[in-house]
Amino acid sequence: MAVVVVESPAKAKTINKYLGSDYTVLASFGHVRDLPAKDGSVDTDNEFGMTWEVAADSKKHVRAIAEALKTDDTLILATDPDREGEAISWHLQEALASSLKKGKTVRRVTFNAITKSAVTEAMSKPRDVDMELVEAYLARRALDYLVGFNLSPVLWRKLPGAKSAGRVQSVCLRLIVEREMEIEAFRAREYWSVKAILETPRGQSFEARLTVLGGKKLDRFDIATEEAASLAVEAIRSRDLTVKSVEAKPASRNPYPPFMTSTLQQEASRKFGMGAKACMAAAQRLYEAGHITYMRTDGIDMAPEAVTAAREAIRARFGASYVPDSPRIYKNKAKNAQEAHECIRPTEMSAAPDDLRLTESDQKRLYDLIWKRTIASQMAAARLERTTVDVGSRDGEVELRATGQVVMFDGFLKVYDEGRDDEGEDEGRLPQIMQGEAAKKQGITPEQHFTQPPARYTEATLVKRMEELGIGRPSTYASIVTTIQDRDYVRKDKNRLIPEDKGRLVTAFLANFFKRYVEYDFTSALEAELDDISAGERDYKEVLARFWRDFSAAIAETSELRITEVLEKLDDFLAPHLYPARADGSDPRICPVCGTGKLNLKTARSGGAFIGCANYPECRYTRPISTAGGEEGMALTGDGKLLGNDPAGLPITLRTGRFGPYVQRGEASEEQPKPPRSSLPKGWSPESIDLERALMLLDLPREIGLHPEDKEKVEAGIGRFGPYVKHGSTYANLPEVDEVFTIGMNRAIEVLAQKASRGAGRGAAAKPLKELGEHPDGGAIQVMPGRYGPYVKWGKVNATLPKEIEPEAITVDQAVELVNAKASKGGKKPAKKATAKAAPKAAAKPAAKTAAKKPAAKKAPAKKTAKPKAGEADASDLGE
């Protein structure tokens, strides 16, 4: 027998089905060793020797593998087929060294898909651990440790409130901050266009836009004012128009290549608003279940047998006309061969999304996307006809153009079309138009436009930009984007990434004092060197030595920096954002309260920074950095900005305080020393607050009505942990702040029911929607409300209710069939004869014992999350 080790128990379970009883399949649960979070884990004085330790949680998994090797002579390392997978295999081999003596064999196998054929073939072609891939991993891990462990403390000391700085995350953050600065520096430019609705002699209408005026072809900004647009309208109105030319051209659109990691993340973000982390988590589960090929790849090529299977599936489903004469071959554009595996595709082309009956929403949507993209990639091109019609006056002074597009054969579009980051107008179909015939004017409309600033990054466009710049790799994209959000450097609002003040300060600090290490070219070149190591073309210790020589010198230069010196530099760097030009032309740095003090950047005791007056304490004017870009920072003085009066005549003001901007009703007095106040929710800028919005905040909590069951009040508000609905002593979070002001009773009851179902076993249990009776094997069957919809419950078995069956209509027989199927699929044995009450008690005992066994002392380290350990500052760069 042989011991096979994979990363996860889900993967182990799937592989075990294929290998049978001749193998013992165990999970390592990811990496088993890492660098200790302390100084010296990477010894820069002794050829970058690394000290590794087995993680506390991993010791039991390593022991289990060692125990299995006592009776088995062969260890087969079957971790993922990339740099990280190779590293895990190497770590396992090193950690198990004492168990691998006396002639025991260690072999490495990889497979791109967890299918019986792929696993069987891999087992027949074992090899040794690839040390070139391991050395590329070692170089990356050492770099991340050296940056995180040495740069993060500098940030903590010189920039109060800042968190860790990672090697690649810092560059990614710079992209987002610079895009925001571009938006703030943007000045809109006005321009006009003119459109006309024209009619053919047959009474059919079409739209055309003005392209020639005064005999000159128009550029975008040629009609710059309303007056110029009015003259253009008059020029069209005063002339007869005829069709000068009609040109119809055939065109075609080829399908998109199949997915690789970055394009899958981009498309999941566009189509579903799914973040990179959620996308990769769902893809991981699909891979481990054997439904798709490996999901971390730069490759877009497809195995020949998969191409053949795709063509057969297309022919069977859509007909021979949708199959091109020859297979489509996509050229791989990967920079690094080590991650240039096959594309992400279904393992079985004939397995359409409906055939798999996936119950988890993210997996179902993602598999549907992957299947459609893969099938479409081998389909025939779409055939189109593009028509251009030019209509003009006889004197040539005025000309208009109409364009249209007709799909003659949909081809791959029958299955799939890629989403767009910036949606444009699709060209419509034109009526029959003949050259030389008159075009009657039905209406002429001038339209005002303003140039738009560059769009903020979404996760999709950010990943795309990182890929273009060569920053990061497939295994790191998700963790990079997630980490900068987790550190509160960036927030996501309506799927757009917006830098927080903390993120701006960190970027400004690094750009001033560590400029080289946040340069795009430098980071990209370093990634290329890591790829060269994996290809055996560079020595990883030489790469580390060259990097450390310059980086350590840069660290040493900052040791003498004073915080005031740092703040002065940041103040100058961020000046365009902090002190925008004033409409009256006055100095934007002059305090709007005292009129003499100069505004500058200051740090708060609690961390972070704010704008304050240099005349402190005589002048106590302050404002947060985040309000810097609007209306002179909203000029929030001690008395605030008056928004208006409430119905009772009390003044409503917008102010700023120690914890940021807030609204207040009335003024402090002896009778009321603390007037009603409400902080602005996250995502609400001071510039957006008017009297109506301020009153909405001050009137919270808002009563929704009385609960239909107990007639107790249900209300919505904003609390310490965000927006919520409340019924009695039960609080349930709402996903969006704006919903607090619009939520009705039906939605509130739904949110409260979901909270109750999630809290079952921790508090008040959710009430069943329907009691169905007894299961033939004993125990009650109930229909319960759930977070993702109603489900059938029998003891420990929960089975999702199909959408086509209403909770009120389900029968006992249908419910028994559902729970039995779920029990057999999940490997759960049906409970023995027991009452409905017995099952929860039995389930509760082990949990209680486990909790009792955990010493209180062990809980303390887990809670220290305010300051990440320096050595762990960039561990998430690994993408694991």
Side-chain angles (χ1 to χ4, degrees):
M1 288 179 67
V3 178
V4 179
V5 182
V6 296
E7 291 97 332
S8 74
K11 189 174 176 182
K13 182 179 177 181
T14 307
I15 290 173
N16 199 39
K17 290 190 300 185
Y18 302 138
L19 296 180
S21 58
D22 290 340
Y23 295 86
T24 302
V25 185
L26 299 173
S28 71
F29 290 80
H31 276 277
V32 296
R33 299 198 308 175
D34 201 0
L35 298 171
K38 61 183 181 182
D39 196 9
S41 293
V42 176
D43 191 346
T44 54
D45 295 327
N46 290 293
E47 296 189 321
F48 300 93
M50 296 173 153
T51 301
W52 302 95
E53 69 177 10
V54 177
D57 291 343
S58 298
K59 287 179 181 177
K60 59 184 177 183
H61 306 309
V62 174
R63 278 198 303 269
I65 299 168
E67 192 66 28
L69 285 170
K70 288 181 180 179
T71 54
D72 297 323
D73 292 331
T74 304
L75 173 64
I76 299 176
L77 301 166
T79 50
D80 288 343
D82 61 2
R83 188 184 295 164
E84 283 302 301
E86 209 70 24
I88 293 172
S89 285
W90 176 76
H91 276 304
L92 284 166
Q93 187 171 343
E94 294 290 304
L96 293 165
S98 61
S99 301
L100 294 172
K101 296 175 181 177
K102 300 175 184 178
K104 292 191 184 289
T105 305
V106 181
R107 304 299 282 161
R108 171 84 168 110
V109 300
T110 58
F111 32 81
N112 194 45
I114 305 178
T115 61
K116 187 169 186 177
S117 58
V119 171
T120 304
E121 184 179 357
M123 289 295 179
S124 67
K125 298 177 181 177
R127 59 172 173 81
D128 293 329
V129 172
D130 187 331
M131 287 308 298
E132 290 172 348
L133 294 187
V134 172
E135 287 177 356
Y137 156 80
L138 292 174
R140 181 184 289 275
R141 187 66 193 96
L143 285 169
D144 294 339
Y145 171 89
L146 292 172
V147 172
F149 198 82
N150 291 278
L151 182 54
S152 295
V154 174
L155 268 181
W156 300 336
R157 290 193 301 269
K158 309 300 182 184
L159 198 62
K163 295 185 180 179
S164 303
R167 181 177 62 86
V168 183
Q169 293 99 328
S170 298
V171 184
C172 178
L173 176 61
R174 180 189 167 192
L175 278 170
I176 297 169
V177 170
E178 288 188 343
R179 175 59 58 87
E180 195 70 18
M181 293 175 77
E182 284 179 54
I183 293 169
E184 290 166 353
F186 178 81
R187 296 292 176 265
R189 183 175 177 183
E190 180 185 9
Y191 67 99
W192 289 71
S193 65
V194 179
K195 292 182 180 179
I197 302 297
L198 306 177
E199 185 179 274
T200 69
R202 290 160 295 284
Q204 295 173 303
S205 298
F206 63 97
E207 184 181 82
R209 58 184 174 83
L210 181 65
T211 55
V212 174
L213 181 63
K216 177 191 171 187
K217 186 176 180 181
L218 289 174
D219 287 328
R220 186 183 190 186
F221 299 108
D222 283 350
I223 305 178
T225 63
E226 186 175 7
E227 292 74 19
S230 298
L231 291 172
V233 169
E234 189 54 39
I236 299 171
R237 186 177 286 124
S238 62
R239 288 170 170 79
D240 292 330
L241 303 175
T242 57
V243 178
K244 297 180 71 174
S245 66
V246 179
E247 186 178 20
K249 287 184 177 179
S252 65
R253 274 182 65 189
N254 288 318
Y256 307 93
F259 282 129
M260 56 181 173
T261 303
S262 60
T263 52
L264 176 63
Q265 291 175 6
Q266 291 165 41
E267 194 69 343
S269 175
R270 293 187 195 108
K271 281 189 158 63
F272 310 134
M274 192 184 291
K277 183 178 180 180
C279 171
M280 295 311 290
Q284 177 90 32
R285 292 192 291 275
L286 287 170
Y287 165 68
E288 289 175 347
H291 297 316
I292 64 170
T293 53
Y294 191 56
M295 68 287 159
R296 291 193 182 107
T297 175
D298 274 338
I300 55 173
D301 58 319
M302 199 187 302
E305 61 271 19
V307 172
T308 301
R311 288 168 61 84
E312 290 172 358
I314 294 164
R315 184 177 285 104
R317 285 179 178 271
F318 308 110
S321 60
Y322 286 88
V323 182
D325 293 337
S326 57
R328 294 188 179 276
I329 306 299
Y330 294 96
K331 197 172 181 181
N332 186 40
K333 59 179 181 179
K335 294 180 182 179
N336 52 328
Q338 72 91 18
E339 289 187 271
H341 309 298
E342 194 184 353
C343 64
I344 304 171
R345 62 167 178 83
T347 52
E348 293 290 336
M349 296 297 176
S350 58
D354 292 340
D355 299 332
L356 294 187
R357 297 182 181 176
L358 295 167
T359 56
E360 188 181 316
S361 174
D362 281 357
Q363 286 190 51
K364 188 173 184 178
R365 292 189 298 171
L366 204 64
Y367 182 81
D368 181 76
L369 193 65
I370 293 168
W371 184 83
K372 286 178 177 176
R373 174 90 165 213
T374 307
I375 290 294
S377 72
Q378 288 299 323
M379 290 179 75
R383 294 197 300 274
L384 316 169
E385 185 179 80
R386 292 189 176 129
T387 305
T388 303
V389 178
D390 287 322
V391 179
S393 59
R394 290 183 183 278
D395 59 6
E397 290 290 300
V398 169
E399 194 169 300
L400 299 94
R401 173 166 289 183
T403 55
Q405 178 175 283
V406 181
V407 177
M408 310 301 288
F409 173 68
D410 54 3
F412 76 94
L413 294 174
K414 190 176 188 70
V415 175
Y416 174 88
D417 194 10
E418 188 173 73
R420 298 178 180 86
D421 295 314
D422 298 296
E423 294 291 342
E425 293 182 7
D426 291 329
E427 296 175 335
R429 185 168 188 165
L430 294 173
Q432 183 184 9
I433 303 172
M434 308 292 289
Q435 186 173 341
E437 65 185 15
K440 183 179 177 181
K441 299 181 287 288
Q442 288 186 324
I444 306 169
T445 309
E447 291 184 4
Q448 185 184 33
H449 307 277
F450 292 94
T451 53
Q452 296 298 309
R456 288 187 175 109
Y457 285 111
T458 62
E459 287 197 14
T461 55
L462 182 63
V463 167
K464 184 177 181 181
R465 183 63 180 144
M466 289 166 64
E467 185 184 25
E468 290 169 353
L469 293 170
I471 298 169
R473 286 297 179 258
S475 60
T476 67
Y477 290 138
S479 64
I480 290 168
V481 178
T482 300
T483 299
I484 57 175
Q485 294 177 64
D486 290 345
R487 289 177 181 165
D488 295 324
Y489 291 161
V490 170
R491 74 176 187 273
K492 190 154 72 167
D493 183 25
K494 295 178 181 175
N495 211 31
R496 298 281 173 175
L497 298 171
I498 304 169
E500 299 280 21
D501 292 345
K502 237 180 245 181
R504 286 180 185 271
L505 291 170
V506 168
T507 295
F509 178 84
L510 295 175
N512 275 276
F513 300 103
F514 293 91
K515 183 177 180 181
R516 185 184 181 198
Y517 302 99
V518 288
E519 287 177 348
Y520 305 131
D521 290 347
F522 175 81
T523 307
S524 176
L526 195 55
E527 292 285 356
E529 289 184 11
L530 292 172
D531 295 338
D532 290 343
I533 294 169
S534 68
E537 296 171 3
R538 283 182 187 268
D539 183 281
Y540 84 96
K541 291 183 179 180
E542 289 179 7
V543 172
L544 290 174
R546 190 167 57 254
F547 173 87
W548 179 246
R549 181 191 62 214
D550 298 334
F551 183 70
S552 58
I555 291 285
E557 288 174 10
T558 65
S559 61
E560 302 302 320
L561 283 174
R562 300 189 310 276
I563 290 180
T564 52
E565 186 181 349
V566 171
L567 288 176
E568 285 173 9
K569 280 265 192 183
L570 301 189
D571 204 41
D572 290 339
F573 183 85
L574 294 172
H577 166 66
L578 300 179
Y579 317 108
R582 291 176 176 170
D584 61 3
S586 61
D587 186 351
R589 281 183 176 265
I590 295 299
C591 175
V593 176
C594 68
T596 59
K598 188 176 181 181
L599 300 179
N600 50 50
L601 194 63
K602 296 176 179 289
T603 55
R605 289 180 182 177
S606 57
F610 63 94
I611 305 298
C613 179
N615 285 342
Y616 177 85
E618 289 76 18
C619 178
R620 293 178 175 271
Y621 171 78
T622 62
R623 61 171 163 80
I625 293 175
S626 56
T627 61
E631 203 180 314
E632 297 181 7
M634 298 304 296
L636 301 184
T637 68
D639 296 327
K641 177 187 176 185
L642 181 65
L643 299 174
N645 296 324
D646 72 359
L650 291 172
I652 304 298
T653 50
L654 173 63
R655 303 171 181 241
T656 187
R658 181 179 173 190
F659 301 107
Y662 64 92
V663 289
Q664 177 174 306
R665 190 195 302 269
E667 297 292 341
S669 63
E670 289 185 11
E671 296 79 17
Q672 192 178 36
K674 292 185 178 180
R677 293 176 175 179
S678 179
S679 295
L680 268 57
K682 193 171 184 178
W684 284 31
S685 66
E687 295 86 351
S688 69
I689 303 301
D690 54 18
L691 178 62
E692 182 184 1
R693 297 191 97 190
L695 289 173
M696 285 166 59
L697 286 173
L698 290 165
D699 289 341
L700 292 177
R702 165 181 160 260
E703 185 172 338
I704 300 170
L706 300 180
H707 198 287
E709 291 183 4
D710 56 13
K711 305 303 179 187
E712 195 168 348
K713 183 167 63 175
V714 178
E715 55 188 20
I718 302 172
R720 182 181 176 187
F721 301 108
Y724 66 85
V725 289
K726 176 178 179 283
H727 171 230
S729 60
T730 301
Y731 289 80
N733 291 334
L734 291 171
E736 301 289 341
V737 169
D738 290 347
E739 196 172 2
V740 169
F741 308 103
T742 59
I743 188 170
M745 184 58 74
N746 288 341
R747 167 70 174 148
I749 291 173
E750 179 190 351
V751 173
L752 289 162
Q754 289 174 353
K755 171 65 182 292
S757 66
R758 291 196 299 273
R762 300 192 303 269
K767 294 180 179 178
L769 298 175
K770 186 179 180 182
E771 295 281 359
L772 294 174
E774 288 284 311
H775 190 283
D777 292 337
I781 305 179
Q782 302 166 319
V783 181
M784 304 292 293
R787 183 179 181 183
Y788 302 107
Y791 63 92
V792 179
K793 181 176 181 61
W794 171 53
K796 296 181 182 179
V797 180
N798 297 331
T800 303
L801 201 63
K803 289 182 179 179
E804 62 270 15
I805 301 179
E806 294 295 328
E808 299 80 11
I810 188 170
T811 65
V812 177
D813 291 341
Q814 289 174 314
V816 169
E817 185 178 343
L818 285 171
V819 294
N820 285 352
K822 182 63 183 286
S824 61
K825 186 177 180 181
K828 295 180 181 178
K829 296 179 181 179
K832 293 181 180 179
K833 296 265 183 182
T835 63
K837 292 181 180 178
K841 283 183 180 178
K845 284 181 181 178
K849 285 180 181 179
T850 304
K853 285 181 181 179
K854 288 185 178 178
K858 289 186 179 179
K859 293 182 181 178
K863 292 181 180 178
K864 293 180 181 178
T865 56
K867 274 192 178 181
K869 292 181 181 178
E872 297 174 342
D874 203 43
S876 55
D877 232 356
L878 298 175
E880 284 295 312

